[in-house]
Amino acid sequence: MTSNDRPGGRTPRLRGAVAAAMRRSTPPENRALLLLIVLSMCLAVPQWLFPELVPVTALVLPLIIGSLSLGPRQLPWFVVFVLLLVVVSLGRLTESDDVNSRVLGGIVVLFIAGFIILLSSFRRSRLGVAGVRGESMLVDLRDRIQSQGTIPTLPVGYHAEFALSSAGGTPFAGDFVVTAGPPERKRFDVVVVDVSGKGEGAGTRALLLSGAFGGLLNALPPAEFLPAANAYLLRQSWEEGFATAVHLSLDLESGFYELRSAGHPPGAHRIAGSGRWVVRAGDGPALGLLDGVDFPAVRGQLRPGDAIMLYTDGLVETPTKDIGLGIDRMLGQAEQLLRGEYDGGARRLIDALGSRSDDRALVLVARR
C-alpha cells in the first residue's frame, strides 16, 4: 500500500494545494486591504469604548499605510471606510459630550488627509501603478535602461569610464550614455546624449531615448546610428523634441576612431607625444530637428598614451560664460587633474567643472 492509498495520505497534499490556490486567488492588494480593515477596526473600537485613552487621530495610521500599499482600485474604498469610522466616532463623542476643539481639529485633519490620499489615488489610477510597488517598478525600469551605459570590459591596454551628475542630485537626468562593445565586437561604441529641457520632463524622455538608442547602437553600423536616432526622434513629435549627441566608434585592434556629432560640444583628443588636448569638432545638426541630414565623421587614431574625452554642455557652458571659454577651462583642468593618470579621472573632472544647476556627463577613453 502506497502513502497515497493509506487513509489520510492524500490529506496533506490536498491541504497544501488548496492553500496555494487560495493564495493565488487572493491578490496581494486584497490581502493588504483585509489586514488594513482589521487594523482600522482594532483602532476604532477601543476609541469608541475609551475615547479618553485612544484619540480619533489614531486612524491616520491605517490611512498612511494604505496610501503606500494599496492599489488604485482598493485605496478609494478604504479611505471612504476609514472616514465612515471617523463619522461614527464623531457621533459617539457628540452623544457623550466629549467633543472639544482639539478633537474637532483632529477630525478635520483626518478628513483633509483622506482627501489628499484620494487625489493621489486618482493620479495613480491614470498611471496604473500602486504605492511603493509602483515606485519600485519605475526605479527598476530606470536601472535596467541606465545599465545600457555600463562600460564593457575592454581589451588589455584600453581604459574607459564615465561619470554622471544630475542637476538636482537625483538618479534621473537629461544626460545619459549608451555603449556597445566586446566580447562579441571588435569595436567599442559610446554615445553621450543631452536631452533638451530640464527636470522630470527631460528625465522621462532620457529614459525612453536611452532604451531606443541602446538598441540602435547594437544593431546598426556606426555611420547609420545618428541618422536612425534622428529619424526616431522626429517620429516622436515632442514639443521639446530635440537632443544633442556625440558618437565615438573605436577600432580596438588598430586604435582608429570615427567621431560624429549632432549639435553637441566637440570631443577632445589628448595626444601623448605633445601632452596637449586637441578639440575634434564634428559637424551635424541636433537630433529631432531636420529630416534627411548627414553627420560627417572626424577620423583619427588613438595611440598608446592618448585619450579621448566626450562630455555634455553642462561641463563647459553657464549663463555667464561662453562655451568656447568653458572648453578651454575644461582642457586646462584636464591637463592638471589627469596627467596620464586616467583611473577616476572622469569623476575628478565632473566634481571640478560645470554648473551645479545643469546635468553633467563625461566619458573618458584612454589607451595605456
Side-chain angles (χ1 to χ4, degrees):
M1 180 181 293
T2 65
S3 60
N4 289 338
D5 296 330
R6 295 177 189 139
R10 297 177 182 267
T11 302
R13 294 185 181 181
L14 288 175
R15 288 177 179 173
V18 170
M22 291 180 66
R23 287 194 297 269
R24 288 194 297 268
S25 63
T26 306
E29 291 84 0
N30 290 345
R31 292 198 294 270
L33 178 61
L34 293 174
L35 292 175
L36 286 170
I37 289 175
V38 172
L39 174 62
S40 302
M41 294 301 300
C42 290
L43 292 173
V45 172
Q47 198 280 323
W48 297 339
L49 299 176
F50 311 103
E52 67 281 357
L53 298 178
V54 182
V56 69
T57 51
L59 288 171
V60 77
L61 179 62
L63 275 179
I64 294 174
I65 298 176
S67 68
L68 296 175
S69 59
L70 295 181
R73 292 184 178 180
Q74 295 88 356
L75 183 56
W77 296 107
F78 178 68
V79 172
V80 171
F81 172 75
V82 173
L83 295 182
L84 286 176
L85 294 179
V86 175
V87 171
V88 174
S89 298
L90 178 61
R92 295 183 66 86
L93 291 171
T94 304
E95 292 175 358
S96 60
D97 296 329
D98 287 334
V99 179
N100 54 45
S101 59
R102 180 176 296 180
V103 172
L104 288 176
I107 292 174
V108 170
V109 169
L110 275 173
F111 272 90
I112 293 175
F115 179 72
I116 294 173
I117 292 172
L118 280 177
L119 289 181
S120 67
S121 174
F122 296 148
R123 184 177 180 182
R124 288 180 194 170
S125 64
R126 294 177 55 193
L127 299 174
V129 297
V132 175
R133 282 185 294 275
E135 294 172 0
S136 64
M137 179 189 70
L138 295 177
V139 171
D140 182 64
L141 173 63
R142 178 207 67 196
D143 293 341
R144 288 178 183 272
I145 292 178
Q146 289 185 347
S147 66
Q148 296 180 98
T150 303
I151 301 295
T153 302
L154 300 182
V156 176
Y158 284 96
H159 172 77
E161 63 180 56
F162 81 94
L164 175 67
S165 178
S166 67
T170 65
F172 293 92
D175 297 352
F176 64 90
V177 176
V178 291
T179 62
E184 295 84 3
R185 301 162 58 105
K186 295 182 179 180
R187 301 188 68 86
F188 172 56
D189 287 88
V190 57
V191 181
V192 180
V193 184
D194 185 358
V195 178
S196 62
K198 295 182 181 296
E200 294 179 356
T204 53
R205 290 196 300 274
L207 286 177
L208 175 62
L209 290 181
S210 61
F213 285 8
L216 293 174
L217 190 64
N218 282 279
L220 297 175
E224 298 179 15
F225 169 74
L226 285 179
N230 182 56
Y232 176 84
L233 213 60
L234 286 170
R235 289 195 298 269
Q236 305 311 306
S237 300
W238 290 333
E239 291 184 2
E240 287 189 87
F242 72 93
T244 66
V246 59
H247 174 203
L248 171 69
S249 182
L250 174 65
D251 188 314
L252 295 172
E253 293 183 343
S254 64
F256 284 101
Y257 67 83
E258 296 179 346
L259 191 65
R260 294 177 174 85
S261 177
H264 202 83
H269 180 179
R270 182 184 185 274
I271 301 174
S274 63
R276 302 296 300 273
W277 290 88
V278 178
V279 172
R280 304 304 306 270
D283 184 16
L287 303 174
L289 297 180
L290 301 172
D291 193 10
V293 293
D294 294 326
F295 300 92
V298 176
R299 294 176 173 84
Q301 185 177 14
L302 195 67
R303 296 182 173 87
D306 288 5
I308 292 179
M309 189 161 53
L310 311 176
Y311 51 92
T312 57
D313 60 3
L315 276 173
V316 295
E317 188 176 27
T318 65
T320 60
K321 184 186 299 182
D322 180 76
I323 188 172
L325 296 176
I327 292 175
D328 291 340
R329 180 172 182 270
M330 180 192 68
L331 297 181
Q333 287 284 340
E335 289 183 4
Q336 295 180 15
L337 296 177
L338 300 182
R339 297 186 179 277
E341 297 294 332
Y342 299 116
D343 291 341
R347 175 51 58 184
R348 294 198 297 272
L349 287 171
I350 282 280
D351 293 339
L353 294 168
S355 171
R356 299 304 185 266
S357 61
D358 197 1
D359 299 328
R360 293 164 292 151
L362 186 143
V363 171
L364 185 64
V365 181
R367 190 171 183 183
R368 301 185 187 280

